[in-house]
Amino acid sequence: MARDRSQTSDFTGPLRRLLIAVLVLCLLGIFLLWRIDSPRVERFRAQITDRFVPGLDWAMAPVTGAVSLLRDFQSYQQLAEQNQELRSELRRMQAWKEAAVQLEQENARLLDLNNVRLDPRLTVISGVVLADSGSPFRQSVLLNVGARDGIIEGWATMDGIGVVGRISGVGQNTSRVILLTDASSRIPASIQPSGQRTIVAGDNTAAPLIDFLENPDQVRPGDRVVSSGDGGVFPSGLLIGQVAADPGGQLRVRLAADYERLEFLRVLRHHGTEPIDDNPQIIGPQLPVIVTEEAIQ
């Protein structure tokens, strides 16, 4: 058996080498045939191509599939890169959109500050809110205007629509505003259209209480609340808000000012009502003249 194996290996070795040599010669011949630039050879190549290539579609299918898969992968890579670029651009656009919305809101608030109609005798100073020192026990903000701008303690402050609070503490460059929601805030007010006098009392909530109301039956939710000017605390006619009722039935004020976005405030210069000094000039009823005998004599 060992001898038979050796004889078989001795026979297959030269045969394998012979087949390899024939294959190499065939490939070399095909290469040379395909490289020869001759009309006859060109026609021969065309005939071979027409004869064998159409029947080799099944053999070319894997190659074609691999090429298509490679192209699809490259396209997928390009799509992924474009998608990433679009996502980055979308994030940038969202940032620009947020900036545009903030500028639009700021512009709207500034327009409100410019368009609100007040007593022509009142002049205003606009300030920027520097800090919000609100807490559960105190509601106040800090403005960037102070004594150098002529600010006086007690003056009213407004945003574009309604009253925000009053000046309480003035520094050289800054001033503090006690908000209407602060527990120490008490503002004389009038409820329209009934004309009821009341006090808007802060209690550290978003909706101050309506206190000391003479006839609550004449007041309805939605009625306007304006400053009455009593006591010379605030000028009269400044919008504070609207009447609202809490779940317990207590009347409160839904403030007109936007306390969530206090960025610019207007300080109203209000020096109070001028006192009347010249009493004889008051027009009154004419008194009868009493003539005595001494005057006749």
Side-chain angles (χ1 to χ4, degrees), residues 96-111:
W96 280 110
K97 178 183 177 182
E98 183 65 24
V101 170
Q102 292 178 358
L103 289 175
E104 183 180 2
Q105 293 175 351
E106 180 177 339
N107 188 30
R109 287 191 289 272
L110 290 175
L111 288 176

Side-chain angles (χ1 to χ4, degrees), residues 26-172:
C26 292
L27 293 176
L28 182 59
I30 295 173
F31 175 75
L32 294 176
L33 180 64
W34 240 254
R35 297 292 295 175
I36 295 174
D37 190 9
S38 172
R40 291 183 179 181
V41 177
E42 182 65 29
R43 287 195 296 271
F44 179 69
R45 287 198 296 260
Q47 290 176 1
I48 293 176
T49 303
D50 294 338
R51 177 66 180 84
F52 294 102
V53 170
L56 296 177
D57 290 340
W58 59 271
M60 297 298 295
V63 178
T64 305
V67 173
S68 300
L69 183 62
L70 180 61
R71 290 177 179 175
D72 293 342
F73 180 74
Q74 292 176 349
S75 299
Y76 175 77
Q77 277 188 327
Q78 294 177 356
L79 289 175
E81 293 175 357
Q82 292 178 358
N83 191 17
Q84 188 67 25
E85 292 178 359
L86 289 175
R87 287 178 182 272
S88 301
E89 186 175 356
L90 180 60
R91 285 194 294 268
R92 290 194 297 270
M93 293 299 295
Q94 287 177 347
W96 280 110
K97 178 183 177 182
E98 183 65 24
V101 170
Q102 292 178 358
L103 289 175
E104 183 180 2
Q105 293 175 351
E106 180 177 339
N107 188 30
R109 287 191 289 272
L110 290 175
L111 288 176
D112 289 337
L113 289 175
N114 291 329
N115 294 333
V116 66
R117 296 182 180 180
L118 299 173
D119 191 333
R121 294 174 298 177
L122 297 175
T123 56
V124 299
I125 303 174
S126 296
V128 178
V129 176
L130 297 178
D132 183 357
S133 60
S135 69
F137 307 101
R138 187 174 179 83
Q139 304 287 326
S140 65
V141 296
L142 197 65
L143 289 182
N144 67 337
V145 291
R148 66 174 182 179
D149 304 294
I151 301 297
I152 297 178
E153 188 169 349
W155 281 355
T157 59
M158 300 182 64
D159 68 350
I161 301 177
V163 177
V164 172
R166 58 181 173 85
I167 300 295
S168 177
V170 179
Q172 184 64 26

